[in-house]
Amino acid sequence: MSLDRSTQPPTPVAPLPAADPFAGEMRRFYARTAGSLSELERARRHLPAGVCSNFRMMDPHPLFLRSARGSRVLDVDGHEYIDWGLAQSTLLAGHAHPAVIEAVRRQVGSGTMTCYPHPRTADLAALVCERFRLDLVRFVNTGSEATQFAVRVARAATGRDSVLKFDACYHGNGPEFWLGKPETDLPAGAPEWMGQEIYSAGIPRALVSKTCLAEYNDLESVRAAFHEHPGEIAALILEPVVFNLGVLLPRQGFLQGVRDLCDREGAVLIYDEVKMGCKLGLLGAGEYFGVPADLVAMAKSIGGGFPIGLFGGRRDLMEGIETRNVKHVGTYAANHVGLAAAHATLTEVLTPGNYDRMFAVNQTLADGYREIIARAGLEAHVVTAGASGSMFFSRGPVHGVADFKRTRLDKWQRFWIGMLNRGVLPQAQGPEDIWTVSVQHSDDDVETTLRAFREVAPLLA
Ligand SMILES: Cc1ncc(COP(=O)(O)O)c(C=O)c1O
């Protein structure tokens, strides 16, 4: 997922010289997606870059999708794709899951929102508190709200201002998260935000002045950050498994080390489970790894395709919303549609039986990819976590952002275009992104995907 490609508007000109063996694939892509390109041109008349989130700016152009159902999406040119991107890994339920749609349909008939509490709010709160081991919770609409309010609660509880995050890790729109260590020597194919210190124009330096940086999977860097900012850090926020630099798994002992440092330094540990939440299994990351956070932020998969998120955790911290004057407000918070969708998703869709199936499908997909990689002699490997996975174009392991930058990021677009040309949307939008298996993906989807990859793999050698 690219954070900002705003200096690189989609271009209708194929960037490859004709002699490049991939040029044929590019020509095929342009021919197949002429309708998307013309939709983009139309959209750009009134929408900056023709899209409503910079993540949707793609090189050479995004697909314009007309409809989505189950594991499939349909583009404006009439091509169907097996969708492993699933709306930036939101749809563990798959597209338009019948149970979710039915729950929403029933709810819409009796109102979509009132800005007064609905009885289902307490039901859903009880359900998520039990399932994700939270004392108290508040509902929001997006992951960005969830992470920002979690940080606000932590700041209020500790009386400190600073936030520690990991370089190049994404936590949504909160300006304090848009700081990184700029890479001066950007490798080919690297997303351009990696070359920027503040990832977007329009974020004053003052708004990132309370952000401290460390490196994921490098406990020493966390220790150093606490050492450099004694008594200042309110919270450390991280994705326990990073799902925004491909899939990065925590090294043995890393999460416990982080937990211990937060305890020693009096900082709140926040798990950002907006993207990875629900992907590892029924319970939250705290249970999965045996290392609980103090607060968690969730969104995406819990809503089954409808906007709802949450932040919650330790009672003494969350009580600040009642007792310490921590303001959390939102017109659409706990709107009836989101509540209905989340309730159906958590009770009827994300069930133990469905998890078994998703994990089995993911295993078959990953094993198939690995076999083809080995046969083609590619410098690539696959990493999985629960229902998700990612492909790295490197032989060596990828533990952190430095390893990630050393992968052959330039190969990613070829993988992407080659697979799209064969009716497979192999993952969400960029080399930093991942794939996800939904409850509606089938073994047939895997077979078709692997057939496509068998043809694409030689183009990546
Ligand atoms: C880890 C993480 N945190 C927060 C967010 C922000 O969520 P939203 O786009 O719903 O605001 C995202 C979105 O991709 C995410 O991946």
Side-chain angles (χ1 to χ4, degrees), residues 327-352:
K327 299 284 197 300
H328 160 242
V329 295
T331 303
Y332 292 93
N335 71 76
H336 305 175
V337 177
L339 293 175
H343 197 272
T345 303
L346 292 173
T347 56
E348 297 177 54
V349 181
L350 300 184
T351 57

mmCIF file with all atom_site columns, all heavy atoms in Angstrom, residues 327-352:
data_model
loop_
_atom_site.group_PDB
_atom_site.id
_atom_site.type_symbol
_atom_site.label_atom_id
_atom_site.label_alt_id
_atom_site.label_comp_id
_atom_site.label_asym_id
_atom_site.label_entity_id
_atom_site.label_seq_id
_atom_site.pdbx_PDB_ins_code
_atom_site.Cartn_x
_atom_site.Cartn_y
_atom_site.Cartn_z
_atom_site.occupancy
_atom_site.B_iso_or_equiv
_atom_site.pdbx_formal_charge
_atom_site.auth_seq_id
_atom_site.auth_comp_id
_atom_site.auth_asym_id
_atom_site.auth_atom_id
_atom_site.pdbx_PDB_model_num
ATOM 1   N N   . LYS A 1 327 ? -12.136 13.484  25.623 1.00 0.00 ? 327 LYS A N   1
ATOM 2   C CA  . LYS A 1 327 ? -13.302 13.574  24.742 1.00 0.00 ? 327 LYS A CA  1
ATOM 3   C C   . LYS A 1 327 ? -13.181 12.558  23.599 1.00 0.00 ? 327 LYS A C   1
ATOM 4   O O   . LYS A 1 327 ? -12.183 12.536  22.881 1.00 0.00 ? 327 LYS A O   1
ATOM 5   C CB  . LYS A 1 327 ? -13.395 14.975  24.122 1.00 0.00 ? 327 LYS A CB  1
ATOM 6   C CG  . LYS A 1 327 ? -13.551 16.104  25.125 1.00 0.00 ? 327 LYS A CG  1
ATOM 7   C CD  . LYS A 1 327 ? -14.966 16.172  25.689 1.00 0.00 ? 327 LYS A CD  1
ATOM 8   C CE  . LYS A 1 327 ? -15.239 17.503  26.356 1.00 0.00 ? 327 LYS A CE  1
ATOM 9   N NZ  . LYS A 1 327 ? -14.351 17.811  27.473 1.00 0.00 ? 327 LYS A NZ  1
ATOM 10  N N   . HIS A 1 328 ? -14.203 11.740  23.480 1.00 0.00 ? 328 HIS A N   1
ATOM 11  C CA  . HIS A 1 328 ? -14.335 10.941  22.258 1.00 0.00 ? 328 HIS A CA  1
ATOM 12  C C   . HIS A 1 328 ? -15.743 11.173  21.729 1.00 0.00 ? 328 HIS A C   1
ATOM 13  O O   . HIS A 1 328 ? -16.733 10.846  22.413 1.00 0.00 ? 328 HIS A O   1
ATOM 14  C CB  . HIS A 1 328 ? -14.141 9.437   22.502 1.00 0.00 ? 328 HIS A CB  1
ATOM 15  C CG  . HIS A 1 328 ? -14.733 8.625   21.387 1.00 0.00 ? 328 HIS A CG  1
ATOM 16  N ND1 . HIS A 1 328 ? -15.757 7.718   21.558 1.00 0.00 ? 328 HIS A ND1 1
ATOM 17  C CD2 . HIS A 1 328 ? -14.482 8.670   20.047 1.00 0.00 ? 328 HIS A CD2 1
ATOM 18  C CE1 . HIS A 1 328 ? -16.099 7.209   20.380 1.00 0.00 ? 328 HIS A CE1 1
ATOM 19  N NE2 . HIS A 1 328 ? -15.345 7.780   19.450 1.00 0.00 ? 328 HIS A NE2 1
ATOM 20  N N   . VAL A 1 329 ? -15.834 11.761  20.553 1.00 0.00 ? 329 VAL A N   1
ATOM 21  C CA  . VAL A 1 329 ? -17.140 12.077  19.979 1.00 0.00 ? 329 VAL A CA  1
ATOM 22  C C   . VAL A 1 329 ? -17.157 11.633  18.515 1.00 0.00 ? 329 VAL A C   1
ATOM 23  O O   . VAL A 1 329 ? -16.115 11.367  17.925 1.00 0.00 ? 329 VAL A O   1
ATOM 24  C CB  . VAL A 1 329 ? -17.429 13.604  20.054 1.00 0.00 ? 329 VAL A CB  1
ATOM 25  C CG1 . VAL A 1 329 ? -17.551 14.062  21.487 1.00 0.00 ? 329 VAL A CG1 1
ATOM 26  C CG2 . VAL A 1 329 ? -16.336 14.392  19.329 1.00 0.00 ? 329 VAL A CG2 1
ATOM 27  N N   . GLY A 1 330 ? -18.345 11.572  17.942 1.00 0.00 ? 330 GLY A N   1
ATOM 28  C CA  . GLY A 1 330 ? -18.447 11.219  16.523 1.00 0.00 ? 330 GLY A CA  1
ATOM 29  C C   . GLY A 1 330 ? -19.900 11.025  16.126 1.00 0.00 ? 330 GLY A C   1
ATOM 30  O O   . GLY A 1 330 ? -20.589 10.203  16.730 1.00 0.00 ? 330 GLY A O   1
ATOM 31  N N   . THR A 1 331 ? -20.337 11.775  15.146 1.00 0.00 ? 331 THR A N   1
ATOM 32  C CA  . THR A 1 331 ? -21.733 11.700  14.714 1.00 0.00 ? 331 THR A CA  1
ATOM 33  C C   . THR A 1 331 ? -22.110 10.281  14.285 1.00 0.00 ? 331 THR A C   1
ATOM 34  O O   . THR A 1 331 ? -23.176 9.784   14.606 1.00 0.00 ? 331 THR A O   1
ATOM 35  C CB  . THR A 1 331 ? -21.950 12.674  13.537 1.00 0.00 ? 331 THR A CB  1
ATOM 36  O OG1 . THR A 1 331 ? -21.573 13.978  13.971 1.00 0.00 ? 331 THR A OG1 1
ATOM 37  C CG2 . THR A 1 331 ? -23.405 12.681  13.075 1.00 0.00 ? 331 THR A CG2 1
ATOM 38  N N   . TYR A 1 332 ? -21.224 9.642   13.540 1.00 0.00 ? 332 TYR A N   1
ATOM 39  C CA  . TYR A 1 332 ? -21.555 8.320   12.996 1.00 0.00 ? 332 TYR A CA  1
ATOM 40  C C   . TYR A 1 332 ? -21.114 7.181   13.903 1.00 0.00 ? 332 TYR A C   1
ATOM 41  O O   . TYR A 1 332 ? -21.271 6.017   13.545 1.00 0.00 ? 332 TYR A O   1
ATOM 42  C CB  . TYR A 1 332 ? -20.917 8.154   11.607 1.00 0.00 ? 332 TYR A CB  1
ATOM 43  C CG  . TYR A 1 332 ? -21.525 9.059   10.564 1.00 0.00 ? 332 TYR A CG  1
ATOM 44  C CD1 . TYR A 1 332 ? -20.976 10.296  10.294 1.00 0.00 ? 332 TYR A CD1 1
ATOM 45  C CD2 . TYR A 1 332 ? -22.690 8.680   9.890  1.00 0.00 ? 332 TYR A CD2 1
ATOM 46  C CE1 . TYR A 1 332 ? -21.547 11.140  9.357  1.00 0.00 ? 332 TYR A CE1 1
ATOM 47  C CE2 . TYR A 1 332 ? -23.274 9.518   8.959  1.00 0.00 ? 332 TYR A CE2 1
ATOM 48  C CZ  . TYR A 1 332 ? -22.697 10.749  8.696  1.00 0.00 ? 332 TYR A CZ  1
ATOM 49  O OH  . TYR A 1 332 ? -23.277 11.579  7.769  1.00 0.00 ? 332 TYR A OH  1
ATOM 50  N N   . ALA A 1 333 ? -20.531 7.502   15.072 1.00 0.00 ? 333 ALA A N   1
ATOM 51  C CA  . ALA A 1 333 ? -20.040 6.448   15.963 1.00 0.00 ? 333 ALA A CA  1
ATOM 52  C C   . ALA A 1 333 ? -21.201 5.554   16.374 1.00 0.00 ? 333 ALA A C   1
ATOM 53  O O   . ALA A 1 333 ? -22.263 6.037   16.780 1.00 0.00 ? 333 ALA A O   1
ATOM 54  C CB  . ALA A 1 333 ? -19.384 7.065   17.191 1.00 0.00 ? 333 ALA A CB  1
ATOM 55  N N   . ALA A 1 334 ? -20.990 4.234   16.271 1.00 0.00 ? 334 ALA A N   1
ATOM 56  C CA  . ALA A 1 334 ? -22.008 3.239   16.648 1.00 0.00 ? 334 ALA A CA  1
ATOM 57  C C   . ALA A 1 334 ? -23.314 3.461   15.891 1.00 0.00 ? 334 ALA A C   1
ATOM 58  O O   . ALA A 1 334 ? -24.402 3.274   16.460 1.00 0.00 ? 334 ALA A O   1
ATOM 59  C CB  . ALA A 1 334 ? -22.247 3.240   18.160 1.00 0.00 ? 334 ALA A CB  1
ATOM 60  N N   . ASN A 1 335 ? -23.197 3.865   14.615 1.00 0.00 ? 335 ASN A N   1
ATOM 61  C CA  . ASN A 1 335 ? -24.438 3.962   13.831 1.00 0.00 ? 335 ASN A CA  1
ATOM 62  C C   . ASN A 1 335 ? -25.014 2.558   13.654 1.00 0.00 ? 335 ASN A C   1
ATOM 63  O O   . ASN A 1 335 ? -24.306 1.557   13.717 1.00 0.00 ? 335 ASN A O   1
ATOM 64  C CB  . ASN A 1 335 ? -24.187 4.670   12.497 1.00 0.00 ? 335 ASN A CB  1
ATOM 65  C CG  . ASN A 1 335 ? -23.385 3.816   11.557 1.00 0.00 ? 335 ASN A CG  1
ATOM 66  O OD1 . ASN A 1 335 ? -23.904 2.870   10.962 1.00 0.00 ? 335 ASN A OD1 1
ATOM 67  N ND2 . ASN A 1 335 ? -22.095 4.106   11.448 1.00 0.00 ? 335 ASN A ND2 1
ATOM 68  N N   . HIS A 1 336 ? -26.301 2.499   13.433 1.00 0.00 ? 336 HIS A N   1
ATOM 69  C CA  . HIS A 1 336 ? -27.004 1.215   13.530 1.00 0.00 ? 336 HIS A CA  1
ATOM 70  C C   . HIS A 1 336 ? -26.581 0.237   12.434 1.00 0.00 ? 336 HIS A C   1
ATOM 71  O O   . HIS A 1 336 ? -26.607 -0.973  12.640 1.00 0.00 ? 336 HIS A O   1
ATOM 72  C CB  . HIS A 1 336 ? -28.510 1.462   13.472 1.00 0.00 ? 336 HIS A CB  1
ATOM 73  C CG  . HIS A 1 336 ? -28.978 2.437   14.518 1.00 0.00 ? 336 HIS A CG  1
ATOM 74  N ND1 . HIS A 1 336 ? -30.257 2.892   14.600 1.00 0.00 ? 336 HIS A ND1 1
ATOM 75  C CD2 . HIS A 1 336 ? -28.301 3.051   15.528 1.00 0.00 ? 336 HIS A CD2 1
ATOM 76  C CE1 . HIS A 1 336 ? -30.369 3.738   15.611 1.00 0.00 ? 336 HIS A CE1 1
ATOM 77  N NE2 . HIS A 1 336 ? -29.192 3.848   16.178 1.00 0.00 ? 336 HIS A NE2 1
ATOM 78  N N   . VAL A 1 337 ? -26.188 0.768   11.309 1.00 0.00 ? 337 VAL A N   1
ATOM 79  C CA  . VAL A 1 337 ? -25.801 -0.110  10.205 1.00 0.00 ? 337 VAL A CA  1
ATOM 80  C C   . VAL A 1 337 ? -24.468 -0.803  10.531 1.00 0.00 ? 337 VAL A C   1
ATOM 81  O O   . VAL A 1 337 ? -24.326 -2.020  10.379 1.00 0.00 ? 337 VAL A O   1
ATOM 82  C CB  . VAL A 1 337 ? -25.693 0.685   8.890  1.00 0.00 ? 337 VAL A CB  1
ATOM 83  C CG1 . VAL A 1 337 ? -25.226 -0.207  7.760  1.00 0.00 ? 337 VAL A CG1 1
ATOM 84  C CG2 . VAL A 1 337 ? -27.039 1.314   8.551  1.00 0.00 ? 337 VAL A CG2 1
ATOM 85  N N   . GLY A 1 338 ? -23.515 -0.021  10.999 1.00 0.00 ? 338 GLY A N   1
ATOM 86  C CA  . GLY A 1 338 ? -22.218 -0.599  11.372 1.00 0.00 ? 338 GLY A CA  1
ATOM 87  C C   . GLY A 1 338 ? -22.375 -1.626  12.478 1.00 0.00 ? 338 GLY A C   1
ATOM 88  O O   . GLY A 1 338 ? -21.749 -2.698  12.457 1.00 0.00 ? 338 GLY A O   1
ATOM 89  N N   . LEU A 1 339 ? -23.209 -1.317  13.461 1.00 0.00 ? 339 LEU A N   1
ATOM 90  C CA  . LEU A 1 339 ? -23.421 -2.260  14.569 1.00 0.00 ? 339 LEU A CA  1
ATOM 91  C C   . LEU A 1 339 ? -24.004 -3.577  14.053 1.00 0.00 ? 339 LEU A C   1
ATOM 92  O O   . LEU A 1 339 ? -23.558 -4.665  14.442 1.00 0.00 ? 339 LEU A O   1
ATOM 93  C CB  . LEU A 1 339 ? -24.393 -1.669  15.597 1.00 0.00 ? 339 LEU A CB  1
ATOM 94  C CG  . LEU A 1 339 ? -23.935 -0.449  16.402 1.00 0.00 ? 339 LEU A CG  1
ATOM 95  C CD1 . LEU A 1 339 ? -25.089 0.054   17.267 1.00 0.00 ? 339 LEU A CD1 1
ATOM 96  C CD2 . LEU A 1 339 ? -22.723 -0.764  17.264 1.00 0.00 ? 339 LEU A CD2 1
ATOM 97  N N   . ALA A 1 340 ? -25.004 -3.469  13.185 1.00 0.00 ? 340 ALA A N   1
ATOM 98  C CA  . ALA A 1 340 ? -25.647 -4.679  12.663 1.00 0.00 ? 340 ALA A CA  1
ATOM 99  C C   . ALA A 1 340 ? -24.645 -5.501  11.858 1.00 0.00 ? 340 ALA A C   1
ATOM 100 O O   . ALA A 1 340 ? -24.581 -6.736  11.984 1.00 0.00 ? 340 ALA A O   1
ATOM 101 C CB  . ALA A 1 340 ? -26.846 -4.299  11.793 1.00 0.00 ? 340 ALA A CB  1
ATOM 102 N N   . ALA A 1 341 ? -23.851 -4.813  11.043 1.00 0.00 ? 341 ALA A N   1
ATOM 103 C CA  . ALA A 1 341 ? -22.876 -5.521  10.204 1.00 0.00 ? 341 ALA A CA  1
ATOM 104 C C   . ALA A 1 341 ? -21.834 -6.220  11.070 1.00 0.00 ? 341 ALA A C   1
ATOM 105 O O   . ALA A 1 341 ? -21.491 -7.393  10.839 1.00 0.00 ? 341 ALA A O   1
ATOM 106 C CB  . ALA A 1 341 ? -22.204 -4.537  9.248  1.00 0.00 ? 341 ALA A CB  1
ATOM 107 N N   . ALA A 1 342 ? -21.332 -5.519  12.072 1.00 0.00 ? 342 ALA A N   1
ATOM 108 C CA  . ALA A 1 342 ? -20.287 -6.112  12.923 1.00 0.00 ? 342 ALA A CA  1
ATOM 109 C C   . ALA A 1 342 ? -20.853 -7.283  13.724 1.00 0.00 ? 342 ALA A C   1
ATOM 110 O O   . ALA A 1 342 ? -20.193 -8.315  13.883 1.00 0.00 ? 342 ALA A O   1
ATOM 111 C CB  . ALA A 1 342 ? -19.704 -5.061  13.856 1.00 0.00 ? 342 ALA A CB  1
ATOM 112 N N   . HIS A 1 343 ? -22.067 -7.133  14.210 1.00 0.00 ? 343 HIS A N   1
ATOM 113 C CA  . HIS A 1 343 ? -22.663 -8.214  14.996 1.00 0.00 ? 343 HIS A CA  1
ATOM 114 C C   . HIS A 1 343 ? -22.799 -9.480  14.143 1.00 0.00 ? 343 HIS A C   1
ATOM 115 O O   . HIS A 1 343 ? -22.415 -10.575 14.558 1.00 0.00 ? 343 HIS A O   1
ATOM 116 C CB  . HIS A 1 343 ? -24.026 -7.766  15.545 1.00 0.00 ? 343 HIS A CB  1
ATOM 117 C CG  . HIS A 1 343 ? -24.503 -8.624  16.666 1.00 0.00 ? 343 HIS A CG  1
ATOM 118 N ND1 . HIS A 1 343 ? -25.247 -9.766  16.469 1.00 0.00 ? 343 HIS A ND1 1
ATOM 119 C CD2 . HIS A 1 343 ? -24.305 -8.538  18.008 1.00 0.00 ? 343 HIS A CD2 1
ATOM 120 C CE1 . HIS A 1 343 ? -25.494 -10.327 17.625 1.00 0.00 ? 343 HIS A CE1 1
ATOM 121 N NE2 . HIS A 1 343 ? -24.944 -9.602  18.593 1.00 0.00 ? 343 HIS A NE2 1
ATOM 122 N N   . ALA A 1 344 ? -23.319 -9.314  12.931 1.00 0.00 ? 344 ALA A N   1
ATOM 123 C CA  . ALA A 1 344 ? -23.471 -10.473 12.045 1.00 0.00 ? 344 ALA A CA  1
ATOM 124 C C   . ALA A 1 344 ? -22.107 -11.057 11.680 1.00 0.00 ? 344 ALA A C   1
ATOM 125 O O   . ALA A 1 344 ? -21.921 -12.280 11.645 1.00 0.00 ? 344 ALA A O   1
ATOM 126 C CB  . ALA A 1 344 ? -24.238 -10.065 10.782 1.00 0.00 ? 344 ALA A CB  1
ATOM 127 N N   . THR A 1 345 ? -21.143 -10.186 11.411 1.00 0.00 ? 345 THR A N   1
ATOM 128 C CA  . THR A 1 345 ? -19.807 -10.665 11.011 1.00 0.00 ? 345 THR A CA  1
ATOM 129 C C   . THR A 1 345 ? -19.186 -11.501 12.124 1.00 0.00 ? 345 THR A C   1
ATOM 130 O O   . THR A 1 345 ? -18.651 -12.592 11.879 1.00 0.00 ? 345 THR A O   1
ATOM 131 C CB  . THR A 1 345 ? -18.883 -9.472  10.684 1.00 0.00 ? 345 THR A CB  1
ATOM 132 O OG1 . THR A 1 345 ? -19.498 -8.699  9.656  1.00 0.00 ? 345 THR A OG1 1
ATOM 133 C CG2 . THR A 1 345 ? -17.519 -9.928  10.224 1.00 0.00 ? 345 THR A CG2 1
ATOM 134 N N   . LEU A 1 346 ? -19.256 -10.980 13.336 1.00 0.00 ? 346 LEU A N   1
ATOM 135 C CA  . LEU A 1 346 ? -18.566 -11.674 14.434 1.00 0.00 ? 346 LEU A CA  1
ATOM 136 C C   . LEU A 1 346 ? -19.310 -12.930 14.894 1.00 0.00 ? 346 LEU A C   1
ATOM 137 O O   . LEU A 1 346 ? -18.687 -13.880 15.367 1.00 0.00 ? 346 LEU A O   1
ATOM 138 C CB  . LEU A 1 346 ? -18.367 -10.711 15.621 1.00 0.00 ? 346 LEU A CB  1
ATOM 139 C CG  . LEU A 1 346 ? -17.368 -9.576  15.343 1.00 0.00 ? 346 LEU A CG  1
ATOM 140 C CD1 . LEU A 1 346 ? -17.350 -8.575  16.483 1.00 0.00 ? 346 LEU A CD1 1
ATOM 141 C CD2 . LEU A 1 346 ? -15.957 -10.113 15.103 1.00 0.00 ? 346 LEU A CD2 1
ATOM 142 N N   . THR A 1 347 ? -20.623 -12.945 14.753 1.00 0.00 ? 347 THR A N   1
ATOM 143 C CA  . THR A 1 347 ? -21.357 -14.114 15.260 1.00 0.00 ? 347 THR A CA  1
ATOM 144 C C   . THR A 1 347 ? -21.643 -15.159 14.178 1.00 0.00 ? 347 THR A C   1
ATOM 145 O O   . THR A 1 347 ? -21.662 -16.347 14.448 1.00 0.00 ? 347 THR A O   1
ATOM 146 C CB  . THR A 1 347 ? -22.707 -13.697 15.899 1.00 0.00 ? 347 THR A CB  1
ATOM 147 O OG1 . THR A 1 347 ? -23.460 -12.968 14.930 1.00 0.00 ? 347 THR A OG1 1
ATOM 148 C CG2 . THR A 1 347 ? -22.497 -12.855 17.134 1.00 0.00 ? 347 THR A CG2 1
ATOM 149 N N   . GLU A 1 348 ? -21.850 -14.693 12.933 1.00 0.00 ? 348 GLU A N   1
ATOM 150 C CA  . GLU A 1 348 ? -22.291 -15.650 11.903 1.00 0.00 ? 348 GLU A CA  1
ATOM 151 C C   . GLU A 1 348 ? -21.215 -15.965 10.862 1.00 0.00 ? 348 GLU A C   1
ATOM 152 O O   . GLU A 1 348 ? -21.316 -16.964 10.161 1.00 0.00 ? 348 GLU A O   1
ATOM 153 C CB  . GLU A 1 348 ? -23.524 -15.105 11.174 1.00 0.00 ? 348 GLU A CB  1
ATOM 154 C CG  . GLU A 1 348 ? -24.734 -14.916 12.081 1.00 0.00 ? 348 GLU A CG  1
ATOM 155 C CD  . GLU A 1 348 ? -25.900 -14.299 11.331 1.00 0.00 ? 348 GLU A CD  1
ATOM 156 O OE1 . GLU A 1 348 ? -26.299 -14.847 10.291 1.00 0.00 ? 348 GLU A OE1 1
ATOM 157 O OE2 . GLU A 1 348 ? -26.393 -13.239 11.778 1.00 0.00 ? 348 GLU A OE2 1
ATOM 158 N N   . VAL A 1 349 ? -20.236 -15.081 10.730 1.00 0.00 ? 349 VAL A N   1
ATOM 159 C CA  . VAL A 1 349 ? -19.261 -15.269 9.643  1.00 0.00 ? 349 VAL A CA  1
ATOM 160 C C   . VAL A 1 349 ? -17.903 -15.716 10.169 1.00 0.00 ? 349 VAL A C   1
ATOM 161 O O   . VAL A 1 349 ? -17.336 -16.701 9.692  1.00 0.00 ? 349 VAL A O   1
ATOM 162 C CB  . VAL A 1 349 ? -19.103 -13.965 8.819  1.00 0.00 ? 349 VAL A CB  1
ATOM 163 C CG1 . VAL A 1 349 ? -18.116 -14.170 7.691  1.00 0.00 ? 349 VAL A CG1 1
ATOM 164 C CG2 . VAL A 1 349 ? -20.455 -13.505 8.295  1.00 0.00 ? 349 VAL A CG2 1
ATOM 165 N N   . LEU A 1 350 ? -17.376 -14.998 11.145 1.00 0.00 ? 350 LEU A N   1
ATOM 166 C CA  . LEU A 1 350 ? -16.033 -15.350 11.643 1.00 0.00 ? 350 LEU A CA  1
ATOM 167 C C   . LEU A 1 350 ? -16.170 -16.407 12.736 1.00 0.00 ? 350 LEU A C   1
ATOM 168 O O   . LEU A 1 350 ? -15.950 -16.151 13.926 1.00 0.00 ? 350 LEU A O   1
ATOM 169 C CB  . LEU A 1 350 ? -15.310 -14.092 12.124 1.00 0.00 ? 350 LEU A CB  1
ATOM 170 C CG  . LEU A 1 350 ? -15.115 -13.027 11.031 1.00 0.00 ? 350 LEU A CG  1
ATOM 171 C CD1 . LEU A 1 350 ? -14.313 -11.843 11.542 1.00 0.00 ? 350 LEU A CD1 1
ATOM 172 C CD2 . LEU A 1 350 ? -14.453 -13.617 9.787  1.00 0.00 ? 350 LEU A CD2 1
ATOM 173 N N   . THR A 1 351 ? -16.533 -17.594 12.305 1.00 0.00 ? 351 THR A N   1
ATOM 174 C CA  . THR A 1 351 ? -16.799 -18.712 13.214 1.00 0.00 ? 351 THR A CA  1
ATOM 175 C C   . THR A 1 351 ? -15.609 -19.684 13.185 1.00 0.00 ? 351 THR A C   1
ATOM 176 O O   . THR A 1 351 ? -14.830 -19.675 12.218 1.00 0.00 ? 351 THR A O   1
ATOM 177 C CB  . THR A 1 351 ? -18.055 -19.461 12.738 1.00 0.00 ? 351 THR A CB  1
ATOM 178 O OG1 . THR A 1 351 ? -17.824 -19.889 11.379 1.00 0.00 ? 351 THR A OG1 1
ATOM 179 C CG2 . THR A 1 351 ? -19.284 -18.565 12.769 1.00 0.00 ? 351 THR A CG2 1
ATOM 180 N N   . PRO A 1 352 ? -15.478 -20.538 14.195 1.00 0.00 ? 352 PRO A N   1
ATOM 181 C CA  . PRO A 1 352 ? -14.336 -21.471 14.212 1.00 0.00 ? 352 PRO A CA  1
ATOM 182 C C   . PRO A 1 352 ? -14.239 -22.297 12.925 1.00 0.00 ? 352 PRO A C   1
ATOM 183 O O   . PRO A 1 352 ? -13.147 -22.464 12.369 1.00 0.00 ? 352 PRO A O   1
ATOM 184 C CB  . PRO A 1 352 ? -14.625 -22.357 15.427 1.00 0.00 ? 352 PRO A CB  1
ATOM 185 C CG  . PRO A 1 352 ? -15.473 -21.514 16.333 1.00 0.00 ? 352 PRO A CG  1
ATOM 186 C CD  . PRO A 1 352 ? -16.302 -20.635 15.427 1.00 0.00 ? 352 PRO A CD  1
#
